[in-house]
Amino acid sequence: QSGITSLRDVGSHGDAPFVLKRLQSSGELYGPRVFPAGELITSVGGNAAGPLSRVLDPSPAASSSHFARTAIGPEGFRQAVRIQFAQGADLIKIASEYSQEEIDAAVKEAHSLGLPVTVDAETKYIDMAIKAGVDSIEHPLPRSDAAIALMAKRGLPTLEETFIAYLQEAAAANVAGQPAAAPAATHGPLDATSTSVRQARFSLRRLLSYTRR
C-alpha cells in the first residue's frame, strides 16, 4: 500500500523468485508483489553461462544453484522461454551472446505467451535485440549512435545503472550552469542534457508499466 510495493526480478537463482511470488500472492508472506523472470536465458559461452548455469538441461525443475539457462538454436531458446513461463515467469530475460535467429525465436515465443522480453546486451547484440522487437534493454553499453536513435524512435526503455547517478549530477549541473564530471563506469561519452534526464525518467516509467500488465 506504500513504500516498495513491487519488485521486478530480472534473473535469480533457481525457483527462488517463483516461490516468493506464490507466497506473497497467497498472503503467506507479507511484502511487495514479485514479478519474476527466473533464470536468464543465454547461449553456450554467453553472459552468465558457466558454473551457475544449466547447460542444455531440458528439465523444468529448478535448482537453487542455477542462475542462467543455456540454450542452443532457435528451438532451444523457444523451449527455454516456455520452461520459464511454466514456472510462473511474468517476463523473460535474455543475455548475449545469441544469434539473430535465436533472439527472434525467443521474442516471438514470449510474446505469443503474453510475456515482455528484456535483454542484457551490448554492441551488435543490442542491434539484434532491437530488430527482434524486445520490450526493454537493461544496460545497453557500449552501443552505436544508430542503436541509440532507433531505441529513441521506438520508445524502447532501459535501465542504465552505471550512469543514473551521473544523470542526476548532470541535471544538477545544468541548473547550476556547470559541466558535470564524466562517469567512471561508462564505456563512452554521454550527452548529459536535460533531455537525457527526461528520457531516463520516461524509461523508468515504461519499465514499471510492464509489471502492471
Side-chain angles (χ1 to χ4, degrees):
Q1 296 177 352
S2 63
I4 299 174
T5 60
S6 302
L7 295 176
R8 176 177 173 267
D9 161 68
V10 285
S12 292
H13 290 253
D15 62 353
F18 302 121
V19 171
L20 288 173
K21 175 185 176 179
R22 289 193 292 270
L23 290 174
Q24 193 279 332
S25 298
S26 66
E28 297 178 67
L29 178 67
Y30 183 75
R33 297 174 300 169
V34 179
F35 297 89
E39 296 171 323
L40 67 84
I41 301 168
T42 187
S43 61
V44 174
N47 186 10
L52 295 181
S53 68
R54 293 170 173 290
V55 180
L56 307 177
D57 182 357
S59 170
S63 167
S64 60
S65 64
H66 292 124
F67 172 72
R69 181 173 290 270
T70 302
I72 294 180
E75 182 54 36
F77 271 71
R78 278 192 289 266
Q79 182 187 55
V81 168
R82 290 194 294 269
I83 288 172
Q84 297 311 301
F85 173 74
Q87 287 280 84
D90 289 301
L91 70 151
I92 297 296
K93 183 176 182 182
I94 300 171
S96 57
E97 300 169 349
Y98 42 72
S99 68
Q100 186 67 62
E101 291 76 15
E102 288 171 334
I103 187 70
D104 285 348
V107 171
K108 183 177 181 180
E109 187 69 25
H111 285 174
S112 73
L113 296 169
L115 301 181
V117 179
T118 188
V119 296
D120 179 351
E122 62 289 316
T123 61
K124 67 179 181 180
Y125 299 105
I126 295 173
D127 301 331
M128 292 182 190
I130 296 172
K131 183 178 179 181
V134 299
D135 301 285
S136 63
I137 302 178
E138 294 303 305
H139 29 74
L141 293 170
R143 58 185 171 177
S144 66
D145 290 342
I148 294 173
L150 191 53
M151 288 176 67
K153 181 179 179 180
R154 296 187 179 181
L156 195 59
T158 176
L159 270 181
E160 301 174 0
E161 300 95 337
T162 56
F163 62 85
I164 284 180
Y166 171 59
L167 290 177
Q168 293 171 340
E169 292 175 5
N174 284 337
V175 172
Q178 299 175 352
T186 59
H187 299 274
L190 295 172
D191 178 20
T193 65
S194 57
T195 300
S196 297
V197 176
R198 289 196 299 270
Q199 288 174 343
R201 290 171 179 165
F202 169 76
S203 294
L204 288 170
R205 289 195 297 269
R206 282 288 300 278
L207 286 169
L208 289 173
S209 72
Y210 290 125
T211 67
R212 302 190 185 104
R213 294 182 178 182

